Every structure is written in C-alpha cells, then in structure tokens.
Amino acid sequence: MKFIKQTGLFLAAAMITFACSKPGDTVETTDAQEVAEGEGATLSLDPASTSIAWRGYKPAGQHFGKIPATTGTLTVQGSEITGGSFTFDITGLKIEDLEDGSEDYGKLWGHLQSADFFDAANYPTATFEITDVEPFAAGDMVADQEQFETDNTPKAASELSPENPTHWISGNLTMRGTTKNIKFPAAVTVENGAVIAKAGFNIDRTAWGLSYGDEANAVDKAKDQFIYNTVSLQLDVTAN
C-alpha cells in the first residue's frame, strides 16, 4: 500500500511514549507542513455524519459541544488514506451542556464567537488538511502529561484516543487565521466504498491565538481564576 511520503511532522513523531499515566497531554504542535497530494479515489465527506466534538475546562466546571463539518474530501488508495481536507463551520458551533435559547447559552456562544476566542466575524471556518499518514505500529502508545489538578482537570490523551488505533494522522489545522501541524492516533476503517475515521486528542488552544483566560497568566492557580489551555477534541469523519 502506498503511504504519503513524510513531508515533516504532522502531529509529529512516529512513536510517542507513555509518561506515567498523568492527565491532560496535548498533541505535539509544529509549524505548518506541505499538504499531501493524495493518489487514488476521491470520496466526499458526509457532513451529516462528520463533526468535531469539543470540551473546554476550568477549575469550576466544563463546557462541551460540537462544531459541524460543511465540506471535505478524502483520497483513498486501496485500504489506505492518502490525503484529504475538511472545513468546519465555527458559526455553527453548538453547546450541549446548556439549554439552547437560554441566557447562559447565548452568553457563552457569543463569547466563544468573539475576538476573545474564535473571532468568527473574521474567521468563520476552521480547516484540517492531511499532510501525512503512518501505520500505528505495535508498541506505539499515547503520551499523557501532568496538568494542574482540580475537580475538572482535562481528560488524558490516552483516555480520548480510540481503543484500537490503526494510524497516526498528521495535518494542518487552521483556526483564527493560524495554521499549525498536529499528529494524533486514529481508528480508520475503509470498506464498501466508505471511510470511517475516529480520533480523540488534546490541543493547546493558545497555539492558535485563543488565549482568553490563559492559565499561564494565572497569578495564583489556587484561586481557580483561569481557563485550562487544554481543549479536548474528538473527530468523527465519514466519507463515501
């Protein structure tokens, strides 16, 4: 099977080792890499079955929801993904822990759309473009690193990862006008003319300029007056 030739680090080492099962690690983030020009059949994204689930954390609580996909394609040769790109609608972001239409929902949705976070007026979409795909080899593991512990410490990377990953996927994630390359484990199934890919991982939101409440600026974390920089993402993609 043909794999994409490595152009750099996607989310960015072929093997990642365990670090004592400590909570919270984010994927390794590097500069943008060359996008893969995949060979093979091109499949269209199924927006109804594709989304990014997000979860943000602060010591006093959590918020979570989904960001819908709008367009996208995957290129497949045989049983291997060789390329692809997806577009997600930031303005269509949903909050699932609050009642839609409530005052609290409106306040949080507006804040997330504002320049404090996504700046959706200027950057209404986010994109992901595949730069590399590698097999998830026997012995590969997902790293967990320590974070400041509260009642709402972010989920560990190993907890978010699919139970039986098949590949490492690397790609350029663009949000708020900033592009960074990330690499994460995914469980990919190619059969009957369709591709289903599932992944879960953490990112450091500040790498894309979403710096409101940056925990690095907290004078006294014991006062719980910060938002964790770690955001958990779970990607569910179907193309056919």
Side-chain angles (χ1 to χ4, degrees), residues 148-162:
F148 184 76
E149 292 190 12
T150 67
D151 290 341
N152 291 285
T153 303
K155 289 187 177 183
S158 59
E159 181 181 359
L160 295 166
S161 176

Side-chain angles (χ1 to χ4, degrees), residues 65-97:
K66 286 187 174 67
I67 301 174
T70 54
T71 60
T73 59
L74 278 176
T75 305
V76 178
Q77 188 171 61
S79 61
E80 300 298 337
I81 294 174
T82 60
S85 63
F86 317 105
T87 300
F88 296 89
D89 180 14
I90 297 300
T91 64
L93 178 149
K94 300 296 184 183
I95 304 165
E96 296 181 334
D97 61 288

Side-chain angles (χ1 to χ4, degrees), residues 32 50 77 81 98 120 131 135 158 232:
T50 302
Q77 188 171 61
I81 294 174
L98 297 174
T131 59
S158 59
S232 298

Side-chain angles (χ1 to χ4, degrees), residues 84-138:
S85 63
F86 317 105
T87 300
F88 296 89
D89 180 14
I90 297 300
T91 64
L93 178 149
K94 300 296 184 183
I95 304 165
E96 296 181 334
D97 61 288
L98 297 174
E99 183 180 355
D100 193 357
S102 67
E103 181 178 358
D104 286 343
Y105 188 107
K107 285 181 178 179
L108 179 57
W109 188 91
H111 197 194
L112 291 173
Q113 299 289 315
S114 76
D116 282 345
F117 288 98
F118 287 106
D119 194 9
N122 293 308
Y123 307 103
T125 61
T127 60
F128 182 76
E129 299 173 289
I130 292 175
T131 59
D132 191 29
V133 178
E134 304 167 76
F136 192 96

Side-chain angles (χ1 to χ4, degrees), residues 5-88:
K5 299 301 183 182
Q6 186 170 1
T7 56
L9 300 177
F10 168 73
L11 295 168
M15 292 184 65
I16 300 179
T17 56
F18 241 9
C20 303
S21 298
K22 297 175 182 178
D25 188 34
T26 60
V27 294
E28 185 171 349
T29 303
T30 62
D31 291 338
Q33 305 293 326
E34 182 180 350
V35 175
E37 296 183 8
E39 298 180 3
T42 298
L43 307 182
S44 296
L45 188 76
D46 180 1
S49 302
T50 302
S51 66
I52 294 179
W54 60 270
R55 183 178 294 268
Y57 308 86
K58 55 185 179 180
Q62 304 178 24
H63 292 295
F64 57 89
K66 286 187 174 67
I67 301 174
T70 54
T71 60
T73 59
L74 278 176
T75 305
V76 178
Q77 188 171 61
S79 61
E80 300 298 337
I81 294 174
T82 60
S85 63
F86 317 105
T87 300
F88 296 89

